Structures are given as structure tokens and as C-alpha cells.
Amino acid sequence: MPQQFSSWTDSLMWRRQEWANLRAVVSAAIARGWDRHAWLVPLHLHGYLLIQPDHRREAVEMFEAVLGFGTAREQMILQLKLASLYDDVGRRDDALYSFETALPLAHVAEEPYAEAAGLINVSVLYRRLGRTDDMANSLRRALSIAVKIGDRYLEAVCRLNLAGTWNLQGRHAEALLDAELAVAAASGLGDEYLTIRVHGMWAATLANLGRYDEALSELPSVVAELQQFGDADAEAAMQESIGIALAGLNRHEEAAAAWQRAERLWRDLGDEHAERVAQRLAELG
């Protein structure tokens, strides 16, 4: 009988608990020449790895081990997923090369979902490289594809990331519009994690716009949900927004506590955003 789960959170917990066994399954399948079985395991672990950073370096090894397996289409899909993992573990040159290799193949193969998902992921890499114009252009292209094929999940993710882009650029009114559209697109999809992320972006944008009380009515519950998912990166971003709202209300001690939490989380992840929060704390005094 296939493994069944009552919720996405349960499936996430199972993948965490069974990680060592899943790695062993891949190795055993490769040894026996069961290429497709070996290929399927890392493919279906990718969503877990987006949230849980602990196993990403081991996952890169798994992806690389099966990269030549499957059809040309299947290899292209795996290459796009591996590219985002390369980015997550700091192998930016490898990530950029993999995206630039696989994205044109997705377009030529007329695989709009894979192309849009790849464009969303390469936009994250562009953000880390400071290429904000390329980041926004990739997201616009992905959004155009998502709307064309009527995929609300991809549309919600595109608008979520566009809102983050506009917030980075100080264009908070535009960010709020895309955050609200992301909430609408995600509504009714049944994706608990995506629902939390889009509501968090909407609330964080309210904080950036000075609508502090409204932001604080939403952000603590978002943080609690993200903690259940174990997404430390997203939690750190929400803690930073809580600090912004509290500082705006002159609740400086509480703001400092939120920013200290955000800084710790990002430092544990080796994320450069920790320095930005440290600067906020220094300015707060």
C-alpha cells in the first residue's frame, strides 16, 4: 500500500524521519540498475528540501547521481530542480549554468509549467546576485505563463515573489497589490504552506506601509505556522517584519526581541540578511 498522509505537514514529517532510508533507497536502486526508481526519489523530495535546509548538501549528491537518468524531458526537469539546490547551498555559478542550460530546453519542449517554475527559481538566484531587474523580468515571464495556462498555484507563487521584489525596491504599494492577488490566487487550493506564505507577505507589506496594527494582527499567527513547518528562513523574515511594526509603534524592547530572533535564525542558516537585522538593532540602540 502506498504511504498516505492526513496533511502536507504529516508528509513533511515523514520525509524528515525517513531521510536516511530514502537516501539508501536511491543508492540501492542505482546499484541494481533501477534508474527510474532512483530518479523518482529525489524528484519528489524537492518540495521538502525547499523548507528543510539541513539535508540540501546530501540532496545535491542524490540529484547529481541520477542526473543522466530518464528521457530528455525528465532530465530537463531534474536539472531545473538541481539548479535551485545549487543556489541554496551557495554554488551560484553551477546554479546559473544549470538554469541557463535547462530553461531554453523547457521552452523549446513546450513545457510551460516547468518553464514557469524554473523562471521563479532563477529569480531567487538573481536576487542573491543583486540582479534585481533580471529577477523582476523572470517573475513577469513566469506570471504570464501561469496566467496563460490557468495555473493558480504558479500565479500565487509568482505574485508572492513579485511582492517580495517590490518590497526590496521600496515599492510597497505595488507589493501590496501583488500580495493581495497572491492571497486570492492561493485561496481554495488547499496548500497550507503557500497559504501561510502569501498571508505573511501581505502582512509584512502592511508593516512596510506603516499599517502597523493591521500587520501585527496577522504576523504572530503566521510565525507560529511557519515554526510548525520548520521554515526558519521565512520565519526570520516575518520576525523582521514584526520588529518593523513594533518599532513603528515605539515598542522598542519587543522590536529588539523580534529582530534578535530573526538575526539568530539567519545566522544559523548562514544568510547575509542577518547583517541587515543587526544594523536595525544597532540603530534601535
Side-chain angles (χ1 to χ4, degrees), residues 79-126:
Q79 184 82 41
L80 285 171
K81 293 181 182 297
L82 177 58
S84 64
L85 276 178
Y86 279 146
D87 182 23
D88 288 334
V89 300
R91 292 171 59 176
R92 304 285 156 74
D93 290 342
D94 289 331
L96 192 59
Y97 174 80
S98 295
F99 277 126
E100 290 177 344
T101 300
L103 278 169
L105 296 177
H107 182 75
V108 170
E110 297 183 345
E111 292 284 349
Y113 189 96
E115 183 181 6
L119 286 166
I120 292 168
N121 289 332
V122 78
S123 75
V124 177
L125 174 60
Y126 287 144

Short mmCIF file of all heavy atoms in Angstrom, two decimals, residues 79-126:
data_model
loop_
_atom_site.label_atom_id
_atom_site.label_comp_id
_atom_site.label_asym_id
_atom_site.label_seq_id
_atom_site.Cartn_x
_atom_site.Cartn_y
_atom_site.Cartn_z
N GLN A 79 17.19 18.84 -13.90
CA GLN A 79 18.23 19.87 -13.96
C GLN A 79 17.73 21.18 -13.36
O GLN A 79 18.47 21.87 -12.65
CB GLN A 79 18.65 20.09 -15.41
CG GLN A 79 19.79 21.08 -15.59
CD GLN A 79 21.15 20.45 -15.36
OE1 GLN A 79 21.40 19.34 -15.78
NE2 GLN A 79 22.03 21.16 -14.69
N LEU A 80 16.48 21.53 -13.62
CA LEU A 80 15.91 22.75 -13.05
C LEU A 80 15.82 22.67 -11.53
O LEU A 80 16.11 23.64 -10.83
CB LEU A 80 14.52 23.01 -13.65
CG LEU A 80 14.48 23.54 -15.08
CD1 LEU A 80 13.06 23.56 -15.61
CD2 LEU A 80 15.10 24.94 -15.16
N LYS A 81 15.44 21.52 -11.02
CA LYS A 81 15.36 21.36 -9.57
C LYS A 81 16.75 21.37 -8.94
O LYS A 81 16.95 21.96 -7.87
CB LYS A 81 14.60 20.07 -9.24
CG LYS A 81 13.12 20.10 -9.64
CD LYS A 81 12.42 18.82 -9.27
CE LYS A 81 10.96 18.83 -9.72
NZ LYS A 81 10.16 19.89 -9.06
N LEU A 82 17.70 20.73 -9.60
CA LEU A 82 19.07 20.73 -9.10
C LEU A 82 19.64 22.14 -9.10
O LEU A 82 20.39 22.52 -8.19
CB LEU A 82 19.94 19.80 -9.94
CG LEU A 82 21.43 19.74 -9.60
CD1 LEU A 82 21.65 19.32 -8.15
CD2 LEU A 82 22.15 18.78 -10.55
N ALA A 83 19.30 22.94 -10.11
CA ALA A 83 19.80 24.31 -10.18
C ALA A 83 19.40 25.10 -8.94
O ALA A 83 20.22 25.85 -8.38
CB ALA A 83 19.27 25.00 -11.44
N SER A 84 18.16 24.95 -8.50
CA SER A 84 17.73 25.69 -7.31
C SER A 84 18.44 25.17 -6.06
O SER A 84 18.73 25.94 -5.14
CB SER A 84 16.20 25.60 -7.14
OG SER A 84 15.78 24.28 -6.90
N LEU A 85 18.75 23.87 -6.02
CA LEU A 85 19.51 23.33 -4.89
C LEU A 85 20.94 23.86 -4.88
O LEU A 85 21.48 24.19 -3.82
CB LEU A 85 19.53 21.80 -4.95
CG LEU A 85 18.34 21.05 -4.35
CD1 LEU A 85 18.53 19.56 -4.56
CD2 LEU A 85 18.16 21.37 -2.89
N TYR A 86 21.56 23.94 -6.06
CA TYR A 86 22.89 24.53 -6.14
C TYR A 86 22.88 25.94 -5.54
O TYR A 86 23.79 26.33 -4.80
CB TYR A 86 23.35 24.61 -7.60
CG TYR A 86 23.90 23.36 -8.19
CD1 TYR A 86 23.69 23.06 -9.54
CD2 TYR A 86 24.67 22.47 -7.44
CE1 TYR A 86 24.21 21.91 -10.12
CE2 TYR A 86 25.19 21.31 -8.01
CZ TYR A 86 24.96 21.04 -9.35
OH TYR A 86 25.49 19.91 -9.92
N ASP A 87 21.85 26.70 -5.88
CA ASP A 87 21.72 28.06 -5.35
C ASP A 87 21.61 28.02 -3.83
O ASP A 87 22.27 28.78 -3.11
CB ASP A 87 20.50 28.74 -5.96
CG ASP A 87 20.31 30.17 -5.50
OD1 ASP A 87 21.30 30.80 -5.06
OD2 ASP A 87 19.18 30.68 -5.59
N ASP A 88 20.80 27.11 -3.31
CA ASP A 88 20.57 27.03 -1.87
C ASP A 88 21.84 26.69 -1.09
O ASP A 88 22.00 27.11 0.05
CB ASP A 88 19.50 25.99 -1.56
CG ASP A 88 18.11 26.44 -1.96
OD1 ASP A 88 17.87 27.66 -2.02
OD2 ASP A 88 17.26 25.57 -2.24
N VAL A 89 22.75 25.91 -1.70
CA VAL A 89 23.98 25.54 -0.99
C VAL A 89 25.15 26.44 -1.35
O VAL A 89 26.29 26.17 -0.99
CB VAL A 89 24.35 24.05 -1.25
CG1 VAL A 89 23.24 23.14 -0.79
CG2 VAL A 89 24.71 23.81 -2.71
N GLY A 90 24.86 27.53 -2.07
CA GLY A 90 25.89 28.53 -2.34
C GLY A 90 26.72 28.28 -3.59
O GLY A 90 27.68 29.01 -3.84
N ARG A 91 26.35 27.30 -4.40
CA ARG A 91 27.09 27.04 -5.64
C ARG A 91 26.43 27.85 -6.76
O ARG A 91 25.78 27.33 -7.66
CB ARG A 91 27.10 25.54 -5.93
CG ARG A 91 27.92 24.75 -4.92
CD ARG A 91 27.77 23.25 -5.07
NE ARG A 91 28.16 22.75 -6.40
CZ ARG A 91 28.18 21.46 -6.73
NH1 ARG A 91 27.87 20.54 -5.80
NH2 ARG A 91 28.52 21.08 -7.94
N ARG A 92 26.62 29.17 -6.69
CA ARG A 92 25.90 30.09 -7.58
C ARG A 92 26.28 29.92 -9.05
O ARG A 92 25.42 30.02 -9.93
CB ARG A 92 26.13 31.53 -7.11
CG ARG A 92 25.75 31.79 -5.65
CD ARG A 92 24.24 31.88 -5.45
NE ARG A 92 23.82 31.56 -4.10
CZ ARG A 92 23.97 32.34 -3.03
NH1 ARG A 92 24.59 33.50 -3.13
NH2 ARG A 92 23.52 31.97 -1.85
N ASP A 93 27.55 29.70 -9.35
CA ASP A 93 27.96 29.52 -10.75
C ASP A 93 27.32 28.27 -11.33
O ASP A 93 26.84 28.29 -12.48
CB ASP A 93 29.49 29.43 -10.85
CG ASP A 93 30.18 30.75 -10.58
OD1 ASP A 93 29.50 31.80 -10.65
OD2 ASP A 93 31.39 30.75 -10.29
N ASP A 94 27.31 27.18 -10.57
CA ASP A 94 26.68 25.95 -11.03
C ASP A 94 25.18 26.15 -11.22
O ASP A 94 24.58 25.64 -12.18
CB ASP A 94 26.91 24.81 -10.03
CG ASP A 94 28.35 24.33 -10.03
OD1 ASP A 94 29.02 24.43 -11.08
OD2 ASP A 94 28.82 23.87 -8.97
N ALA A 95 24.57 26.91 -10.30
CA ALA A 95 23.13 27.17 -10.39
C ALA A 95 22.81 27.95 -11.66
O ALA A 95 21.88 27.60 -12.40
CB ALA A 95 22.66 27.93 -9.16
N LEU A 96 23.58 29.01 -11.90
CA LEU A 96 23.30 29.85 -13.06
C LEU A 96 23.48 29.05 -14.35
O LEU A 96 22.65 29.14 -15.27
CB LEU A 96 24.23 31.06 -13.05
CG LEU A 96 23.90 32.19 -14.03
CD1 LEU A 96 22.50 32.74 -13.77
CD2 LEU A 96 24.93 33.32 -13.91
N TYR A 97 24.55 28.26 -14.41
CA TYR A 97 24.78 27.44 -15.61
C TYR A 97 23.63 26.46 -15.82
O TYR A 97 23.14 26.28 -16.95
CB TYR A 97 26.10 26.68 -15.47
CG TYR A 97 26.34 25.71 -16.60
CD1 TYR A 97 26.84 26.15 -17.83
CD2 TYR A 97 26.05 24.35 -16.44
CE1 TYR A 97 27.03 25.25 -18.88
CE2 TYR A 97 26.26 23.46 -17.48
CZ TYR A 97 26.75 23.90 -18.69
OH TYR A 97 26.94 23.03 -19.72
N SER A 98 23.18 25.82 -14.75
CA SER A 98 22.10 24.83 -14.87
C SER A 98 20.80 25.47 -15.31
O SER A 98 20.08 24.92 -16.16
CB SER A 98 21.92 24.10 -13.54
OG SER A 98 23.07 23.35 -13.22
N PHE A 99 20.46 26.62 -14.73
CA PHE A 99 19.25 27.32 -15.15
C PHE A 99 19.34 27.74 -16.62
O PHE A 99 18.39 27.55 -17.39
CB PHE A 99 19.02 28.57 -14.29
CG PHE A 99 18.34 28.30 -12.98
CD1 PHE A 99 18.92 28.72 -11.79
CD2 PHE A 99 17.11 27.65 -12.92
CE1 PHE A 99 18.29 28.49 -10.57
CE2 PHE A 99 16.48 27.41 -11.71
CZ PHE A 99 17.07 27.83 -10.53
N GLU A 100 20.48 28.31 -17.00
CA GLU A 100 20.62 28.81 -18.37
C GLU A 100 20.65 27.67 -19.38
O GLU A 100 20.34 27.87 -20.55
CB GLU A 100 21.88 29.67 -18.48
CG GLU A 100 21.74 31.00 -17.73
CD GLU A 100 23.00 31.84 -17.77
OE1 GLU A 100 24.08 31.29 -18.10
OE2 GLU A 100 22.92 33.04 -17.44
N THR A 101 21.03 26.47 -18.94
CA THR A 101 21.00 25.30 -19.81
C THR A 101 19.60 24.72 -19.94
O THR A 101 19.14 24.38 -21.04
CB THR A 101 21.95 24.21 -19.27
OG1 THR A 101 23.28 24.72 -19.23
CG2 THR A 101 21.91 22.97 -20.16
N ALA A 102 18.90 24.62 -18.82
CA ALA A 102 17.62 23.91 -18.80
C ALA A 102 16.43 24.76 -19.22
O ALA A 102 15.49 24.24 -19.84
CB ALA A 102 17.38 23.34 -17.40
N LEU A 103 16.44 26.06 -18.91
CA LEU A 103 15.27 26.89 -19.23
C LEU A 103 14.96 26.95 -20.72
O LEU A 103 13.79 26.81 -21.12
CB LEU A 103 15.43 28.29 -18.64
CG LEU A 103 15.06 28.42 -17.16
CD1 LEU A 103 15.52 29.76 -16.60
CD2 LEU A 103 13.56 28.24 -16.96
N PRO A 104 15.96 27.15 -21.60
CA PRO A 104 15.64 27.13 -23.03
C PRO A 104 15.08 25.78 -23.49
O PRO A 104 14.22 25.73 -24.38
CB PRO A 104 17.00 27.43 -23.69
CG PRO A 104 17.77 28.16 -22.66
CD PRO A 104 17.36 27.53 -21.36
N LEU A 105 15.56 24.70 -22.88
CA LEU A 105 15.05 23.37 -23.24
C LEU A 105 13.58 23.24 -22.86
O LEU A 105 12.79 22.65 -23.60
CB LEU A 105 15.88 22.28 -22.53
CG LEU A 105 17.35 22.19 -22.92
CD1 LEU A 105 18.05 21.12 -22.08
CD2 LEU A 105 17.51 21.89 -24.41
N ALA A 106 13.21 23.79 -21.70
CA ALA A 106 11.81 23.75 -21.28
C ALA A 106 10.94 24.54 -22.24
O ALA A 106 9.81 24.12 -22.56
CB ALA A 106 11.68 24.31 -19.86
N HIS A 107 11.45 25.67 -22.73
CA HIS A 107 10.68 26.49 -23.66
C HIS A 107 10.50 25.78 -24.99
O HIS A 107 9.39 25.70 -25.53
CB HIS A 107 11.38 27.83 -23.87
CG HIS A 107 10.63 28.76 -24.78
ND1 HIS A 107 9.50 29.43 -24.38
CD2 HIS A 107 10.85 29.11 -26.08
CE1 HIS A 107 9.05 30.16 -25.38
NE2 HIS A 107 9.85 29.99 -26.43
N VAL A 108 11.60 25.23 -25.53
CA VAL A 108 11.54 24.54 -26.82
C VAL A 108 10.65 23.30 -26.74
O VAL A 108 9.91 22.97 -27.68
CB VAL A 108 12.97 24.14 -27.29
CG1 VAL A 108 12.92 23.22 -28.49
CG2 VAL A 108 13.78 25.39 -27.62
N ALA A 109 10.71 22.62 -25.60
CA ALA A 109 9.90 21.41 -25.41
C ALA A 109 8.43 21.72 -25.14
O ALA A 109 7.61 20.80 -25.00
CB ALA A 109 10.47 20.57 -24.27
N GLU A 110 8.09 23.01 -25.06
CA GLU A 110 6.73 23.45 -24.77
C GLU A 110 6.21 22.82 -23.48
O GLU A 110 5.15 22.21 -23.42
CB GLU A 110 5.79 23.13 -25.94
CG GLU A 110 6.18 23.87 -27.22
CD GLU A 110 5.22 23.62 -28.38
OE1 GLU A 110 4.42 22.66 -28.28
OE2 GLU A 110 5.26 24.38 -29.36
N GLU A 111 7.02 23.00 -22.44
CA GLU A 111 6.67 22.56 -21.09
C GLU A 111 6.45 23.80 -20.24
O GLU A 111 7.33 24.23 -19.48
CB GLU A 111 7.79 21.69 -20.51
CG GLU A 111 7.97 20.36 -21.18
CD GLU A 111 6.90 19.36 -20.77
OE1 GLU A 111 6.15 19.65 -19.80
OE2 GLU A 111 6.82 18.30 -21.41
N PRO A 112 5.27 24.43 -20.34
CA PRO A 112 5.07 25.73 -19.69
C PRO A 112 5.19 25.69 -18.17
O PRO A 112 5.70 26.62 -17.57
CB PRO A 112 3.67 26.15 -20.14
CG PRO A 112 2.99 24.87 -20.53
CD PRO A 112 4.08 24.00 -21.09
N TYR A 113 4.70 24.59 -17.55
CA TYR A 113 4.79 24.53 -16.09
C TYR A 113 6.24 24.49 -15.64
O TYR A 113 6.65 25.24 -14.74
CB TYR A 113 4.04 23.31 -15.56
CG TYR A 113 3.92 23.30 -14.04
CD1 TYR A 113 2.77 23.79 -13.43
CD2 TYR A 113 4.96 22.85 -13.24
CE1 TYR A 113 2.66 23.81 -12.04
CE2 TYR A 113 4.86 22.87 -11.86
CZ TYR A 113 3.72 23.34 -11.27
OH TYR A 113 3.63 23.38 -9.90
N ALA A 114 7.03 23.63 -16.28
CA ALA A 114 8.45 23.52 -15.91
C ALA A 114 9.17 24.84 -16.18
O ALA A 114 10.02 25.27 -15.39
CB ALA A 114 9.10 22.39 -16.70
N GLU A 115 8.83 25.49 -17.30
CA GLU A 115 9.49 26.76 -17.63
C GLU A 115 9.14 27.83 -16.59
O GLU A 115 10.03 28.55 -16.10
CB GLU A 115 9.08 27.23 -19.01
CG GLU A 115 9.78 28.51 -19.44
CD GLU A 115 9.38 29.00 -20.82
OE1 GLU A 115 8.46 28.42 -21.43
OE2 GLU A 115 9.99 29.99 -21.29
N ALA A 116 7.86 27.94 -16.24
CA ALA A 116 7.45 28.94 -15.25
C ALA A 116 8.08 28.67 -13.90
O ALA A 116 8.58 29.60 -13.24
CB ALA A 116 5.93 28.97 -15.14
N ALA A 117 8.08 27.41 -13.46
CA ALA A 117 8.69 27.07 -12.18
C ALA A 117 10.18 27.38 -12.19
O ALA A 117 10.73 27.90 -11.20
CB ALA A 117 8.46 25.59 -11.86
N GLY A 118 10.85 27.10 -13.30
CA GLY A 118 12.27 27.41 -13.42
C GLY A 118 12.53 28.90 -13.38
O GLY A 118 13.51 29.35 -12.76
N LEU A 119 11.67 29.68 -14.02
CA LEU A 119 11.82 31.13 -14.01
C LEU A 119 11.63 31.69 -12.60
O LEU A 119 12.32 32.63 -12.20
CB LEU A 119 10.82 31.77 -14.98
CG LEU A 119 11.14 31.61 -16.46
CD1 LEU A 119 9.93 31.96 -17.31
CD2 LEU A 119 12.34 32.49 -16.85
N ILE A 120 10.71 31.11 -11.85
CA ILE A 120 10.52 31.54 -10.46
C ILE A 120 11.77 31.27 -9.65
O ILE A 120 12.26 32.12 -8.89
CB ILE A 120 9.30 30.83 -9.84
CG1 ILE A 120 8.00 31.31 -10.49
CG2 ILE A 120 9.25 31.07 -8.33
CD1 ILE A 120 6.79 30.47 -10.15
N ASN A 121 12.33 30.07 -9.83
CA ASN A 121 13.51 29.70 -9.04
C ASN A 121 14.75 30.49 -9.45
O ASN A 121 15.57 30.86 -8.59
CB ASN A 121 13.77 28.20 -9.18
CG ASN A 121 12.73 27.37 -8.44
OD1 ASN A 121 12.16 27.83 -7.45
ND2 ASN A 121 12.48 26.17 -8.92
N VAL A 122 14.92 30.77 -10.75
CA VAL A 122 16.09 31.56 -11.16
C VAL A 122 15.96 32.99 -10.66
O VAL A 122 16.97 33.67 -10.42
CB VAL A 122 16.30 31.50 -12.68
CG1 VAL A 122 15.35 32.43 -13.44
CG2 VAL A 122 17.75 31.87 -13.03
N SER A 123 14.73 33.45 -10.45
CA SER A 123 14.56 34.81 -9.91
C SER A 123 15.15 34.92 -8.51
O SER A 123 15.66 35.97 -8.12
CB SER A 123 13.07 35.21 -9.90
OG SER A 123 12.37 34.55 -8.85
N VAL A 124 15.07 33.83 -7.73
CA VAL A 124 15.67 33.81 -6.39
C VAL A 124 17.18 33.94 -6.49
O VAL A 124 17.82 34.68 -5.73
CB VAL A 124 15.28 32.53 -5.64
CG1 VAL A 124 15.94 32.48 -4.27
CG2 VAL A 124 13.76 32.43 -5.49
N LEU A 125 17.76 33.23 -7.45
CA LEU A 125 19.20 33.33 -7.68
C LEU A 125 19.58 34.75 -8.08
O LEU A 125 20.57 35.31 -7.58
CB LEU A 125 19.63 32.34 -8.76
CG LEU A 125 21.08 32.42 -9.23
CD1 LEU A 125 22.05 32.18 -8.07
CD2 LEU A 125 21.32 31.42 -10.35
N TYR A 126 18.81 35.35 -8.98
CA TYR A 126 19.10 36.72 -9.40
C TYR A 126 19.04 37.69 -8.22
O TYR A 126 19.85 38.62 -8.13
CB TYR A 126 18.11 37.17 -10.48
CG TYR A 126 18.33 36.54 -11.84
CD1 TYR A 126 17.25 36.21 -12.67
CD2 TYR A 126 19.61 36.29 -12.32
CE1 TYR A 126 17.44 35.64 -13.91
CE2 TYR A 126 19.81 35.74 -13.57
CZ TYR A 126 18.73 35.41 -14.36
OH TYR A 126 18.93 34.85 -15.59
#
